[in-house]
Amino acid sequence: MSGTRVRDVLLVGAGGMGRAWLDAVDRRADLRIAAVVDVADGAARTAVDERSWDAPTFTSVDDALNTVSADMLLNVTIPEAHFAVSAAAVRAGVPVLSEKPITPTVSEAIRLAALSRAAGVLVATSQSRRHSRGIRAFRRALADAGGAEQLGTVFFQNPRFGGFRDRMPHPLLVDMAIHSFDQARFLLDREPVSVYCEEFHPSWSWYDGGAAAEAVFRFEGGARFSYSGSWCADGLTTSWNGSWRGSAAHGSADWDGEADVRTQGREGEPVALALDAGLEGLDAALDEFVVALEGGQRPSGEIDSNIRSLAMVEAAVASAESGRRVLLDDVFAAALAAALSAAEGDEERRTIADWTPTVNRTASDPRSLTEEQA
């Protein structure tokens, strides 16, 4: 655990994931629940009573922010509510850790990022699939081999969700692929430049929209990331993290999406790598956020960085709809124009106009996005 100060946490959204976050908070001695909010009457109270906690509940985030003192807010609402809830917290000076996506659209994310930067209040999203022992070992293996320049994942699952996902026009790309796209950014330690994506509808699919897709992203420096995915694949399903392979100058590595990571150089046999004992999933994302609140390194899901993972989704959808290669710069340009149009007042417009996405790059890699695209 990081530090000894006990921080008060306001949780918004008491559904299944909200309860998982409540349990993650409960596992830490340095956090406690200050209040729980859910728009559904009685849902927050039920979640609190299940744990025999003495914590107030609300149906309005504004009422909660005006009533209780909170050191951070966990936003576990539906995606459509993410912007409003997170923006209310930032305006109240309360740091936010949100479930993915940070907002449903890049334009809303730009508005929230600009607000976060202007207010000096941390906003981050929990891309919890970055936080596994397997992916950390896989990333180290790729780095030791010289850094992957060809990276790929296959993702084949067959969930029968029912409900809104079955009716979405882009269920796989919009609701799931951001995990793989964000993992690719983490593994390559570079930023995406462009994408060509084809989305399609297998004849047996139970989804209304395209539940299968093939995409190739170009990253800075010319690295390529290929994504092959389906949400309607019965039989021989992969891990929910997919199955990965990367090739670099001095060898290759693969990862089954769970615990098996192998590497092999130009000579010799494949070697299985040991995994570390670090935190995973929600626990790791929460710890990373608390460390940042204590003055440590900014979280990997900080909004100015994470917005690029969201932009990968929008770019892939735009490519699938247009049949053309799409530049991430064009996605940001359109989103910035939309954010300026939606801004409420001159002050927000000025804040948005001054915003530019940060580049998530290690200090050892001095290249700029402009130089790579020139």
Side-chain angles (χ1 to χ4, degrees):
M1 290 302 168
S2 50
T4 57
R5 174 187 171 185
V6 178
R7 285 182 164 83
D8 289 318
V9 180
L10 175 60
L11 181 133
V12 187
M17 278 305 301
R19 284 170 161 80
W21 278 105
L22 288 175
D23 292 339
V25 170
D26 195 36
R27 285 192 287 270
R28 296 185 65 105
D30 57 353
L31 298 178
R32 64 189 172 205
I33 291 295
V36 177
V37 181
D38 197 289
V39 294
D41 189 36
R45 175 49 54 193
T46 298
V48 169
D49 289 346
E50 286 174 351
R51 291 158 179 78
S52 300
W53 290 348
D54 181 20
T57 61
F58 301 85
T59 56
S60 161
V61 67
D62 290 329
D63 289 346
L65 288 167
N66 289 330
T67 304
V68 303
S69 175
D71 298 301
M72 59 179 287
L73 181 144
L74 289 173
N75 187 349
V76 203
T77 59
I78 60 173
E80 291 74 16
H82 281 186
F83 175 80
V85 170
S86 295
V90 171
R91 292 187 179 107
V94 179
V96 178
L97 178 59
S98 174
E99 264 294 327
K100 67 86 185 170
I102 194 76
T103 60
T105 66
V106 176
S107 63
E108 283 188 330
I110 288 175
R111 291 181 65 193
L112 185 58
L115 179 63
S116 167
R117 191 179 294 183
V121 176
L122 177 64
V123 176
T125 189
S126 166
Q127 292 285 174
S128 58
R129 293 178 188 272
R130 277 190 179 215
H131 301 291
S132 75
R133 297 183 301 152
I135 199 171
R136 291 195 291 266
F138 183 47
R139 187 175 192 250
R140 288 193 298 271
L142 294 175
D144 290 344
E149 293 185 25
Q150 186 172 11
L151 177 69
T153 187
V154 292
F155 172 87
F156 289 93
Q157 276 287 341
N158 55 354
R160 266 75 170 177
F161 293 113
F164 73 93
R165 290 182 180 87
D166 286 5
R167 300 185 296 273
M168 291 174 65
H170 310 283
L172 178 70
L173 289 176
V174 170
D175 200 56
M176 186 66 203
I178 190 171
H179 288 301
S180 297
F181 296 173
D182 184 72
Q183 287 171 313
R185 291 181 58 234
F186 174 69
L187 291 165
L188 292 171
D189 196 24
R190 301 182 185 186
E191 298 297 4
V193 174
S194 65
V195 62
Y196 177 75
C197 178
E198 290 190 356
E199 183 186 56
F200 53 103
H201 188 278
S203 60
W204 61 86
S205 176
W206 50 92
Y207 294 88
D208 293 344
E214 304 284 338
V216 177
F217 287 88
R218 179 179 179 271
F219 274 67
E220 295 171 315
R224 297 300 195 274
F225 163 58
S226 62
Y227 173 83
S228 179
S230 174
W231 249 2
C232 55
D234 285 329
L236 300 178
T237 55
T238 65
S239 159
W240 275 89
N241 279 315
S243 178
W244 294 76
R245 177 190 169 97
S247 292
H250 307 300
S252 299
D254 62 17
W255 175 44
D256 70 347
E258 296 296 338
D260 292 335
V261 180
R262 302 182 306 163
T263 186
Q264 185 175 18
R266 294 173 182 170
E267 299 177 355
E269 297 298 316
V271 176
L273 300 186
L275 307 187
D276 63 40
L279 295 172
E280 297 184 287
L282 301 188
D283 293 311
L286 188 56
D287 189 70
E288 183 183 57
F289 191 77
V290 172
V291 167
L293 293 181
E294 293 173 351
Q297 184 176 353
R298 74 175 187 171
S300 59
E302 191 269 334
I303 188 169
D304 272 346
S305 173
N306 181 257
I307 198 170
R308 292 183 182 274
S309 297
L310 183 59
M312 290 176 74
V313 175
E314 283 200 10
V317 169
S319 177
E321 291 179 341
S322 67
R324 298 191 301 270
R325 177 173 172 261
V326 171
L327 298 177
L328 272 289
D329 274 358
D330 291 343
V331 170
F332 277 115
L336 181 60
L340 287 168
S341 177
E344 299 176 357
D346 291 340
E347 183 177 352
E348 184 179 353
R349 289 187 189 91
R350 284 192 295 270
T351 301
I352 292 170
D354 291 339
W355 179 86
T356 55
T358 58
V359 176
N360 183 32
R361 186 181 291 106
T362 61
S364 61
D365 185 355
R367 292 169 299 188
S368 72
L369 185 62
T370 301
E371 290 168 347
E372 288 297 334
Q373 289 182 327

